[in-house]
Amino acid sequence: MKKSIKDLGDIKGKKALVRVDINVPLDADKNVTDDTRIQAIIPTLNYLKDKGAKIILMAHLGRPKGEKNPEFTLAPVAKYLSKVLGEDVMFIPDVADAPKMVAELKEGQVALLENIRYYKAEEAKDDDMTFANELAKLGDFYVNDAFGAAHRNHTSTAKLARVLKPAVSGLLMEKELRCLSQALDNPTRPFTAVVGGAKVSSKIGVLENLIDKVDNLIIGGGMAYTFVKANGGKIGNSICEDDQIEVAKAIEKKAADKGVKLVMATDVLVADDFSGNGTNKFVKINEIPDGFEGVDAGEESRKAFADVLKSSKTILMNGPVGAFENPKFAEGTKAVLAAIVEATKNGATSVIGGGDSVSAAKKFAKAEDFTHVSTGGGASLEFIEGKVLPGVAALDDK
């Protein structure tokens, strides 16, 4: 367990240097179009404000690659954050100006540093701590509340925690770690994982790690066709990674050896035009005709997935079960999410882990319908694989 801001003593008047993930989408006029990540850090900011700390936020936006590029300025985000907090957030345009400006902060006031990725040293792969030491001078203690960037071994996410102590998690980071750890390490059973997405290769680590932990494993989305082909099925023009066929066989064998129930689609919606404007029809998953590709779980499969989910006590979803971005191919993913919502209402713990699953959950349900919706795509993927996240490892242990 890592220390959190709740483990700190009196912080009144102290400077909190806080790494957050507010890498939010902006439109052409630089307006924030989705503030989920901003809302997620508000509990941490309010906690620090109530305790009388002076708050200096560090964050990135996009990939400016170590250059000061106005396209990636955090200025509009500072303006939006001011609106959310109902008070002016001080914007610090350059790290060089920071010491002077930070000295003027009042207790409970918030400042935001310009895009930390404007500095090459932020993403440098070396062990040079010069930039970390320069940033460390701005704070009396370090807080990491950026779970979405915790898998990055960058200065503001990992190196800084080694030189500025205490180094603790914010409330969002603490919740992410608690919910994901509980699902993976101490689940109420039966525990079911839904793993979807296009490629087996990107989810090998996830599948391998989950087989050691779950009772049921639902495999959906494009990666399912590699398994179908491994078993001699006809998959038409469906996505398939021929170099992963032996891996698929090994995963099936491991599941059988461990007594894990692998739940695969039996029928599938196929299309001869990925836009959905051609012929769409249901067929058996191992009998997909040439010229057609699988785009969504079929009606039988949706029911089978839902039955397993509704009888589960812990559910982890990582990846959709169809090309849900197209409304014509979204019914399978919708059915899975509806079953998870129902299970949650009946007392199950549900965690939606990162990336496309979060987009689908937002599109077809509400965040509060689930126990936890992760804010980190790549970070939650690596956490579920059982990897050590540098931004977490660097924090102080309880």
Side-chain angles (χ1 to χ4, degrees):
M1 289 289 283
K2 296 293 179 180
K3 282 187 177 169
S4 87
I5 48 176
K6 292 186 285 198
D7 298 306
L8 296 169
D10 181 15
I11 53 174
K12 189 175 163 61
K14 297 240 170 91
K15 298 190 292 289
L17 192 54
V18 188
R19 178 59 157 99
V20 290
D21 179 15
I22 45 177
N23 185 22
V24 292
L26 304 170
D27 64 16
D29 299 321
K30 298 289 181 204
N31 297 309
V32 174
T33 56
D34 179 353
D35 73 348
T36 307
R37 285 178 169 170
I38 290 171
Q39 295 297 341
I41 64 164
I42 299 301
T44 295
L45 299 190
N46 285 340
Y47 183 94
L48 292 168
K49 284 162 69 65
D50 291 346
K51 297 284 181 193
K54 301 169 179 181
I55 304 153
I56 304 104
L57 303 178
M58 300 171 292
H60 72 278
L61 186 73
R63 298 194 170 172
K65 300 191 173 123
E67 308 275 325
K68 293 185 178 178
N69 181 342
E71 190 192 330
F72 298 108
T73 178
L74 276 167
V77 182
K79 211 162 94 182
Y80 188 91
L81 188 56
S82 302
K83 214 163 65 188
V84 172
L85 291 172
E87 62 191 69
D88 271 349
V89 169
M90 179 194 285
F91 184 64
I92 303 174
D94 198 297
V95 168
D97 309 323
K100 193 165 88 259
M101 294 180 76
V102 164
E104 293 164 19
L105 276 178
K106 297 179 181 59
E107 287 179 7
Q109 197 181 352
V110 180
L112 173 63
L113 269 176
E114 179 58 286
N115 196 335
I116 201 75
R117 288 189 183 170
Y118 276 9
Y119 305 91
K120 278 198 165 52
E122 162 66 4
E123 298 180 74
K125 299 271 192 284
D126 54 38
D127 288 326
D128 187 344
M129 301 298 270
T130 313
F131 190 45
N133 288 319
E134 186 184 347
L135 291 171
K137 289 177 189 151
L138 303 176
D140 296 312
F141 61 96
Y142 171 79
V143 180
N144 194 340
D145 211 28
F147 180 73
H151 59 312
R152 307 280 184 211
N153 193 10
H154 293 167
T155 296
S156 67
T157 56
K159 286 183 187 174
L160 194 48
R162 303 212 292 272
V163 293
L164 180 57
K165 297 289 184 185
V168 299
S169 72
L171 300 179
L172 172 64
M173 176 74 89
E174 184 185 44
K175 185 185 180 205
E176 289 273 10
L177 297 175
R178 187 181 67 245
C179 290
L180 284 164
S181 300
Q182 199 182 340
L184 289 169
D185 302 330
N186 194 16
T188 310
R189 299 193 178 275
F191 175 18
T192 300
V194 181
V195 182
K199 293 181 169 177
V200 177
S201 53
S202 63
K203 296 283 172 91
I204 293 170
V206 169
L207 292 166
E208 291 272 354
N209 197 33
L210 287 174
I211 285 176
D212 289 331
K213 299 175 186 291
V214 301
D215 302 295
N216 308 298
L217 183 56
I218 294 172
I219 294 181
M223 60 195 270
Y225 304 106
T226 302
F227 285 87
V228 176
K229 190 165 179 182
N231 286 302
K234 282 183 60 185
I235 60 165
N237 292 17
S238 305
I239 185 168
C240 179
E241 294 173 285
D242 289 331
D243 60 340
Q244 298 296 322
I245 281 176
E246 291 311 313
V247 172
K249 285 180 182 169
I251 287 166
E252 286 191 341
K253 183 181 183 314
K254 188 177 174 185
D257 292 347
K258 294 257 178 193
V260 172
K261 184 180 176 189
L262 267 194
V263 187
M264 299 273 201
T266 49
D267 66 334
V268 63
L269 179 69
V270 296
D272 60 359
D273 182 346
F274 197 66
S275 70
N277 297 326
T279 303
N280 307 324
K281 61 183 182 179
F282 291 107
V283 299
K284 283 199 165 71
I285 196 164
N286 53 1
E287 294 175 9
I288 300 174
D290 292 341
F292 283 82
E293 62 182 311
V295 288
D296 194 12
E299 289 170 324
E300 271 173 36
S301 305
R302 292 169 203 169
K303 188 182 175 315
F305 294 169
D307 287 346
V308 172
L309 290 164
K310 286 178 198 171
S311 64
S312 301
K313 288 289 173 226
T314 303
I315 298 165
L316 176 67
M317 180 178 181
N318 188 269
V321 299
F324 75 93
E325 297 84 355
N326 185 331
K328 292 179 181 173
F329 308 149
E331 293 306 317
T333 300
K334 265 193 216 171
V336 163
L337 287 164
I340 297 174
V341 169
E342 190 177 322
T344 311
K345 278 190 186 132
N346 293 327
T349 298
S350 57
V351 178
I352 308 293
D356 288 338
S357 348
V358 173
S359 315
K362 276 196 216 155
K363 198 168 175 178
F364 305 127
K366 296 193 291 291
E368 52 271 27
D369 292 335
F370 309 97
T371 309
H372 181 61
V373 178
S374 180
T375 54
S380 58
L381 192 66
E382 292 195 13
F383 193 92
I384 296 165
E385 281 181 46
K387 288 185 180 168
V388 173
L389 306 182
V392 176
L395 299 175
D396 299 349
D397 290 319
K398 276 203 191 219

